[in-house]
């Protein structure tokens, strides 16, 4: 029941943000302040960077599977990753996770290990996003008129999250599903020399995917301001903050509405309100279109691959 209320609250927040963002777009279009067609030439290079980022994320998960001693081929693991990502647009924002587990099981991947690799993968992504977004925390606190040092807030938040997760795992460690997950994740948390190398490779690939995703966002700026030496780190931090907020909001499919509004507010000081709205909107179009292309590519990669069920 509590989870249902949280999902409804998250969905309500996403709808409210989407309405606010849509009103900004409609107002600027009606005034003739922005030209959406003028942003189309930037879609090609930005899409290329975004698709390469997808390949980096898929390869990062493949490295985690190998670290967990799952003898998966890159073609099959990447095909599973690519095919299921479109599920994040389903209500609840968990369809891509559930789909990946189910599809991986149909190819004989052990379910507990797959879940364990996804937990580690999510932890690496969140950790990198938090590190990259931390420099902008003071900026967001300033917008909220809170006189709190950014480092203190970051450390307090990290402590609360880690402490809460530790308590939950400690209390539930004897639950059969939790016990199975902990057993599966153990090789990843206490790896041998080979697995340590694969974990490092996965972390590096995930970081590369994040940077390439932010690069695709920067490439949507026709003036090139966001690609400058001074502006790109800010854009990278904004992308990380927007992704994190969309990720932790339950019931917001792919963070829709929340990420657009946050990107608009953050990019406005760099490129102006009109251009910030265009970039945020175009980035949503780019990411959704790329997700569809990746889905089709995943189907092609899995075509002809033999499915087998465990046991």
């Amino acid at each position: 029941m509590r989870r249902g209320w949280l999902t409804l609250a998250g969905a309500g927040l996403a709808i409210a943000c989407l309405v606010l963002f849509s009103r900004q777009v409609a107002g600027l279009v009606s005034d003739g302040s922005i030209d959406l067609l003028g942003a189309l030439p930037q879609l090609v290079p930005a899409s290329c960077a975004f698709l390469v980022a997808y390949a980096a994320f898929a390869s990062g998960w493949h490295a985690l599977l190998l670290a967990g001693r799952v003898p998966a081929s890159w073609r099959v693991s990447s095909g599973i990753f690519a095919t299921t990502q479109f599920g994040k647009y389903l209500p609840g924002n968990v369809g891509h996770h559930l789909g990946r587990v189910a599809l991986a099981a149909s190819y004989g991947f052990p379910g507990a290990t797959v879940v364990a690799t996804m937990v580690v993968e999510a932890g690496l992504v969140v950790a990198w996003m938090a590190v990259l977004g931390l420099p902008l925390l003071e900026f967001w606190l300033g917008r909220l008129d809170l006189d709190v040092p950014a480092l203190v807030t970051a450390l307090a938040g990290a402590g609360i999250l880690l402490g809460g997760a530790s308590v939950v795992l400690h209390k539930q460690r004897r639950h059969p599903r939790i016990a199975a997950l902990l057993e599966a994740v153990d090789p990843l948390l206490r790896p041998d020399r080979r697995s340590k190398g694969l974990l490092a490779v996965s972390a590096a690939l995930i970081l590369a995917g994040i940077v390439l995703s932010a690069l695709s966002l920067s490439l949507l700026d026709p003036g090139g301001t966001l690609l400058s030496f001074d502006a790109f780190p800010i854009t990278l931090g904004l992308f990380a903050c927007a992704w994190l907020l969309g990720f932790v909001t339950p019931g917001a499919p792919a963070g829709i509405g929340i990420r657009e509004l946050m990107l608009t507010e953050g990019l406005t000081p760099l490129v102006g309100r009109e251009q910030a709205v265009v970039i945020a909107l175009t980035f949503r179009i780019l990411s959704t279109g790329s997700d569809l292309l990746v889905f089709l590519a995943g189907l092609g990669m899995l075509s002809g691959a033999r499915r087998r069920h465990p046991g």
Side-chain angles (χ1 to χ4, degrees), residues 1-10 168 250-251:
M1 180 69 71
R2 187 178 302 173
R3 184 179 301 176
W5 281 111
L6 286 174
T7 301
L8 286 175
V168 171

Side-chain angles (χ1 to χ4, degrees), residues 141-164:
L141 292 175
R143 295 292 294 268
L144 297 173
D145 294 326
L146 297 177
D147 187 18
V148 181
L151 183 59
V152 173
T153 305
L155 292 176
I160 292 172
L161 288 175
L162 290 175

